[in-house]
Amino acid sequence: IKNNAAKIEKLTKLIELRTAQKKKTIAEIQDVEDHMAELESLRQDENNDFLNAKKEDQDAIDLLTAARDVLKSYYAKNSITMGDVQGSVKGSALVQQPEFKISADQAPVAEFSESGKRKNEAKGVISIITMILEDLNDEIKNGMKAEEEAQLAFEEQMAAAKKLKDDLTAKKVSLEEAIAKRGEERQVEAGEKSEHQASLESELSYRASIKPDCDWILGAFEKRAAARSAEMDGLTGAKEFLVGAQPPAEEASFLERSTPAAAGKSMLSKVHFLGMRD
């Protein structure tokens, strides 16, 4: 019973330990799931920002392209030659300042000029539009590259988180199996303990039932031993008399005066037979 109790206590501690480990593992799984959800939300926000920025850039490109096409169409319709449009050197048109033949503070003279008079200025506007378009296209390309890199990083982080979650899930399953196994072992041990306890109680009950007789036997042992000794002495004397042995001296005169039958009867009357209990 002591061994059963010790093993049950040991199994109980193991179950408590595995249960605590399972609880911690479940909390870790939840943390990983929360982290995965946060990564997905952040990735979604970044992707939305990228798509919105790309749409804005594309809308600006469409608008500027349409404006440039209108200008080109106007000058082409009016047979105005502008020459090559500068767009490869970005910002040069924005930095260059116009040169004035007269004071910049003098009011301009209201003179109307023929078409094509300001073709150089139109050429500068078209160049600026072209450079802006190039910048917008570069911005879209850079945004797409950054989006691709962010997506790859996201996928790597999600793969690592998923593997960690799978490992923790497998650990939780293993702990559950260990808890179930130890629980079965504890149940078997508890059953054996109950059987041993019932056997002990039965033995103690039996001992209690025979204790009075045992106590009487122990108390009457000396008395019964003395009685058995007297019985043996009586039987021995009777046996010797019956086989013709010489009786003791004090009985000789009596035997001489008595008949054999009377003498035998007298000897047998001295033999006492005792039972097991009075």
Side-chain angles (χ1 to χ4, degrees):
I1 293 176
K2 290 182 179 180
N3 292 337
N4 294 137
K7 192 168 183 180
I8 289 173
E9 182 180 1
K10 180 180 179 180
L11 290 171
T12 300
K13 290 182 178 179
L14 284 174
I15 291 173
E16 291 175 351
L17 175 62
R18 298 294 180 259
T19 301
Q21 291 175 340
K22 176 187 172 183
K23 183 178 180 181
K24 180 181 178 182
T25 302
I26 292 175
E28 291 176 346
I29 292 175
Q30 186 60 51
D31 291 340
V32 173
E33 290 178 346
D34 293 341
H35 179 62
M36 293 173 68
E38 183 179 356
L39 287 176
E40 290 178 345
S41 177
L42 180 61
R43 179 84 279 272
Q44 187 64 46
D45 291 341
E46 291 176 348
N47 181 255
N48 290 336
D49 292 340
F50 162 73
L51 293 177
N52 290 333
K54 181 180 177 183
K55 183 179 182 303
E56 291 176 357
D57 289 342
Q58 189 61 53
D59 290 343
I61 288 174
D62 294 340
L63 180 62
L64 291 173
T65 300
R68 185 181 63 177
D69 291 343
V70 168
L71 288 175
K72 287 183 177 181
S73 175
Y74 171 79
Y75 286 107
K77 183 178 180 180
N78 292 276
S79 301
I80 302 173
T81 305
M82 295 182 296
D84 296 333
V85 176
Q86 296 181 354
S88 59
V89 183
K90 301 177 182 179
S92 59
L94 296 176
V95 176
Q96 184 177 1
Q97 297 295 329
E99 297 180 359
F100 298 97
K101 294 182 179 180
I102 58 178
S103 174
D105 297 330
Q106 183 178 346
V109 179
E111 296 180 355
F112 297 95
S113 60
E114 72 280 2
S115 62
K117 177 71 176 179
R118 299 182 182 275
K119 64 179 182 180
N120 290 331
E121 296 179 7
K123 178 180 177 181
V125 172
I126 293 176
S127 297
I128 294 173
I129 292 176
T130 301
M131 287 186 289
I132 293 175
L133 288 172
E134 290 177 355
D135 289 339
L136 290 173
N137 281 299
D138 289 343
E139 186 174 341
I140 290 178
K141 291 179 182 179
N142 293 333
M144 292 177 64
K145 182 178 179 181
E147 173 67 11
E148 182 180 359
E149 293 175 352
Q151 181 64 27
L152 291 175
F154 165 75
E155 292 175 357
E156 291 179 358
Q157 291 177 336
M158 287 295 292
K162 186 177 183 303
K163 183 178 183 305
L164 178 58
K165 180 183 176 181
D166 292 341
D167 292 342
L168 290 172
T169 302
K171 180 180 178 181
K172 182 175 77 72
V173 173
S174 177
L175 289 171
E176 289 174 344
E177 293 175 350
I179 291 171
K181 182 178 180 180
R182 295 295 180 259
E184 292 175 357
E185 293 177 357
R186 183 173 64 176
Q187 186 175 0
V188 171
E189 205 67 32
E192 292 181 357
K193 180 184 176 183
S194 298
E195 293 177 359
H196 293 162
Q197 187 69 37
S199 178
L200 175 62
E201 292 176 356
S202 177
E203 183 177 350
L204 293 176
S205 177
Y206 172 72
R207 289 183 181 181
S209 66
I210 65 174
K211 186 176 185 300
D213 290 337
C214 293
D215 291 343
W216 179 85
I217 291 174
L218 292 174
F221 180 79
E222 294 182 358
K223 180 180 178 181
R224 294 180 67 248
R228 293 293 178 270
S229 179
E231 290 176 0
M232 291 301 296
D233 291 343
L235 289 172
T236 299
K239 181 180 178 182
E240 290 176 352
F241 174 79
L242 291 175
V243 298
Q246 182 66 31
E250 63 271 14
E251 297 179 358
S253 59
F254 173 77
L255 293 176
E256 290 175 352
R257 296 192 301 272
S258 303
T259 63
K265 183 178 181 181
S266 176
M267 181 65 67
L268 289 174
S269 65
K270 295 181 179 180
V271 178
H272 301 279
F273 296 95
L274 301 176
M276 291 296 292
R277 295 186 63 176
D278 295 336

